[in-house]
Amino acid sequence: VWPALVLLLFPSTVAAEESSLLEGWHDVWLFRFLVNMLGYCTIIIPGYLLISYFKRSNYLETGSGICYPIIKTCVFGSEAKTGLLDDVSVVPRNEGDSGSSVRQVVKLIFCSAGLQV
């Protein structure tokens, strides 16, 4: 009963004893990082290429079809948002309103601890 319980609770330690270093190469953090970056690149690079193509081909003026509203919103944005940005005057930010340095440090530590959980 005890060996089965150990297998259920700690499978990695039991497997580590039985396998050699060459069999566990996929658990190395650098390999996992590269696989993760490859996954992100499969989305980011084609997205970048599509957005640059739509901007170069002047798709906003010549586009039509079912996907036109989605492409217009995702690539070029909506006109309502850009109009609001033009009407608002830029107000300088007061550094005194953000609080003291001690308060900012406490907030930073609190947020960092929350990310660790």
Side-chain angles (χ1 to χ4, degrees):
V1 174
W2 290 108
L5 186 61
V6 170
L7 261 175
L8 288 174
L9 294 176
F10 306 107
S12 61
T13 57
V14 175
E17 293 173 0
E18 296 175 1
S19 65
S20 68
L21 291 175
L22 293 176
E23 292 175 359
W25 64 271
H26 53 82
D27 290 333
V28 176
W29 73 268
L30 184 61
F31 176 74
R32 303 292 291 177
F33 174 74
L34 292 175
V35 169
N36 194 12
M37 293 309 299
L38 181 66
Y40 280 115
C41 288
T42 58
I43 300 297
I44 292 172
I45 292 173
Y48 172 77
L49 293 174
L50 279 173
I51 288 172
S52 62
Y53 169 75
F54 289 136
K55 287 184 176 181
R56 267 187 294 122
S57 67
N58 205 8
Y59 188 79
L60 188 60
E61 294 176 5
T62 60
S64 63
I66 297 172
C67 295
Y68 176 73
I70 296 170
I71 293 171
K72 179 184 171 194
T73 304
C74 292
V75 175
F76 301 103
S78 63
E79 292 180 20
K81 289 182 183 178
T82 57
L84 289 175
L85 291 177
D86 293 338
D87 295 338
V88 175
S89 63
V90 178
V91 178
R93 181 178 172 201
N94 294 335
E95 293 298 323
D97 293 341
S98 63
S100 67
S101 297
V102 175
R103 185 177 174 100
Q104 288 180 349
V105 168
V106 170
K107 186 189 289 187
L108 178 65
I109 291 172
F110 177 76
C111 292
S112 298
L115 289 173
Q116 299 303 317
V117 174

